[in-house]
Amino acid sequence: TKACAADLVVQWFDRAAEKRRVKNTADGGESSKNELTTSTKEKGTSIDYRRALVFLLYGGLYQGMAQEYIYNDIYATLFGSGMDILTASKKVSAEMFVLTPLLCIPAAYLIKGLMGGKTIRGALKKYRDDVVHKKILFINWSE
């Protein structure tokens, strides 16, 4: 998917920038070289394929297949296919207050959590905690 490809490009550019920084710092002396080795090991300079897989799964399974079905079939059945202000308002309200908090964002937390070694319960707990303490839904609605 586009999200996975974009993430891999960003990781590649970050990796290239880190390598340039390593080379430039390494030319600066022995103490810089030691500090750099430690920071490079901590940060890592390789592509994070697990992270790319998260983008691929979320982008392909949810954003690609699920949303296509939701928007083109379910929404059309529930709200009609009109483009008038009333139909659009119903669709936007369903998106903001039902789909996003109950499916869209939890799906992202689930995929990320499972890829990060969390259980389903742990991933959903993280979502609930972020909704309550970090106001993630309000942030989503305001941006």
Side-chain angles (χ1 to χ4, degrees):
T1 66
K2 290 186 284 187
C4 179
D7 179 60
L8 287 172
V9 168
V10 168
Q11 287 190 58
W12 184 81
F13 277 110
D14 286 349
R15 184 175 154 201
E18 181 70 14
K19 284 182 179 181
R20 282 192 303 277
R21 192 182 73 73
V22 167
K23 184 180 182 310
N24 291 340
T25 306
D27 293 341
E30 197 61 36
S31 64
S32 298
K33 200 174 195 177
N34 291 338
E35 291 169 13
L36 182 62
T37 303
T38 303
S39 75
T40 302
K41 284 180 184 173
E42 289 171 2
K43 286 184 180 179
T45 57
S46 63
I47 300 290
D48 185 348
Y49 291 103
R50 180 177 287 236
R51 184 175 109 175
L53 182 59
V54 168
F55 277 102
L56 180 66
L57 290 174
Y58 184 74
L61 295 178
Y62 174 69
Q63 289 183 322
M65 296 184 329
Q67 283 186 349
E68 192 280 330
Y69 180 71
I70 291 166
Y71 293 131
N72 295 326
D73 294 326
I74 296 174
Y75 272 26
T77 301
L78 293 175
F79 309 115
S81 57
M83 297 169 80
D84 57 282
I85 191 73
L86 182 60
T87 303
S89 297
K90 289 177 185 177
K91 290 178 180 181
V92 168
S93 295
E95 173 73 26
M96 290 179 63
F97 300 112
V98 178
L99 189 64
T100 296
L102 298 179
L103 183 62
C104 179
I105 298 176
Y109 273 77
L110 275 173
I111 291 171
K112 183 179 178 187
L114 292 173
M115 293 304 299
K118 290 185 179 183
T119 63
I120 291 173
R121 177 174 279 163
L124 292 177
K125 181 182 182 312
K126 170 80 170 131
Y127 171 63
R128 184 184 54 80
D129 290 346
D130 285 355
V131 168
V132 171
H133 301 293
K134 294 183 179 178
K135 310 294 184 214
I136 196 79
L137 292 178
F138 293 111
I139 291 168
N140 179 69
W141 292 329
S142 67
E143 292 184 357

